[in-house]
Amino acid sequence: MRVLPVGDDALLVEMDSGEGVQALRAELMRRRAEGSLTVREIVPAARTVLLDGLQDPARWVSELTAADIPPAPPRTDAVIELPVRYDGPDLADVAVHWGVSEREVARIHGATEFRVAFCGFAPGFGYLTGLPPRYDVPRRATPRTAVPAGSVALAGPYTGVYPRSSPGGWQLIGTTDAVLWDHARVPAALLAPGTRVRFVPASPESAA
């Protein structure tokens, strides 16, 4: 762990792994809930956690560095289920990369419970982890200029769903009609860090 000051009232904590980020975030959320930590925002990323609006950041530099952070506890909240049609234009390429059939890609992906590691790129876009490392896939050599909203995609160790049409270089394996970002909804984002997610084939034919 490395703790870096950011401005007058923020700290950026660098971790060695995504699991470390999740454990630290869970511990910080616990401390904030019990009242021992006063901070405006706790923002996880791939290998960092930002504490913004922190009271007495100098104290927390030494406290975090010396802290023994326990593993993140198992989540007991409900799983958000996203219906998906495994019909993406890159499904065949992913199947070749995994060394399985397209149907097996859908089965493996649909049988996995994911967790939102962090959010970014676009409002409502969550970086979901859960697939074993052997299923990591590279980004496309040539990004698309426009990826349709609702596209279910893979890149590296992550699964994501594009909340709106935008350029992107992820491998597209499916489509969902779920609304990831809605200004009229509270909260506007369907997915937040820590959320448990499952992708449910919309019909038996969608996994063909």
Side-chain angles (χ1 to χ4, degrees):
M1 178 191 296
R2 187 165 72 138
V3 184
L4 305 172
V6 180
D8 295 330
D9 63 352
L11 295 175
L12 184 69
V13 185
E14 297 181 343
M15 305 296 291
D16 292 335
S17 67
E19 291 76 13
V21 167
Q22 294 303 311
L24 177 60
R25 176 184 177 274
E27 176 64 11
L28 294 173
M29 296 292 287
R30 184 191 68 78
R31 293 190 186 197
R32 183 166 70 172
E34 73 178 14
S36 62
L37 171 64
T38 302
V39 63
R40 184 168 58 247
E41 289 189 84
I42 300 170
V43 185
R47 293 291 185 272
T48 62
V49 179
L50 175 68
L51 287 79
D52 190 25
L54 183 66
Q55 287 190 359
D56 195 6
R59 167 204 161 195
W60 283 99
V61 171
S62 57
E63 185 155 338
L64 287 170
T65 303
D68 183 15
I69 305 299
R75 300 279 302 199
T76 58
D77 51 328
V79 177
I80 290 181
E81 295 187 345
L82 301 180
V84 58
R85 298 179 297 279
Y86 287 98
D87 57 1
D90 300 321
L91 183 63
D93 290 342
V94 171
V96 170
H97 188 78
W98 286 8
V100 300
S101 67
E102 294 180 31
R103 181 185 293 274
E104 185 67 1
V105 171
R107 188 198 66 76
I108 292 169
H109 194 261
T112 301
E113 181 176 302
F114 293 88
R115 178 180 295 191
V116 181
F118 57 97
C119 296
F121 168 63
F125 188 95
Y127 289 76
L128 282 62
T129 58
L131 286 171
R134 66 180 178 277
Y135 296 127
D136 289 6
V137 298
R139 293 170 183 259
R140 287 174 52 83
T142 303
R144 293 180 170 90
T145 57
V147 175
S151 295
V152 178
L154 306 178
Y158 301 114
T159 289
V161 181
Y162 284 76
R164 57 179 173 81
S165 178
S166 64
W170 289 36
Q171 307 282 355
L172 309 184
I173 64 168
T175 310
T176 181
D177 295 326
V179 178
L180 279 294
W181 180 266
D182 183 354
H183 288 286
R185 184 172 58 203
V186 179
L190 180 63
L191 305 180
T195 302
R196 300 162 63 203
V197 179
R198 277 192 180 275
F199 292 90
V200 180
S203 68
E205 290 76 15
S206 65

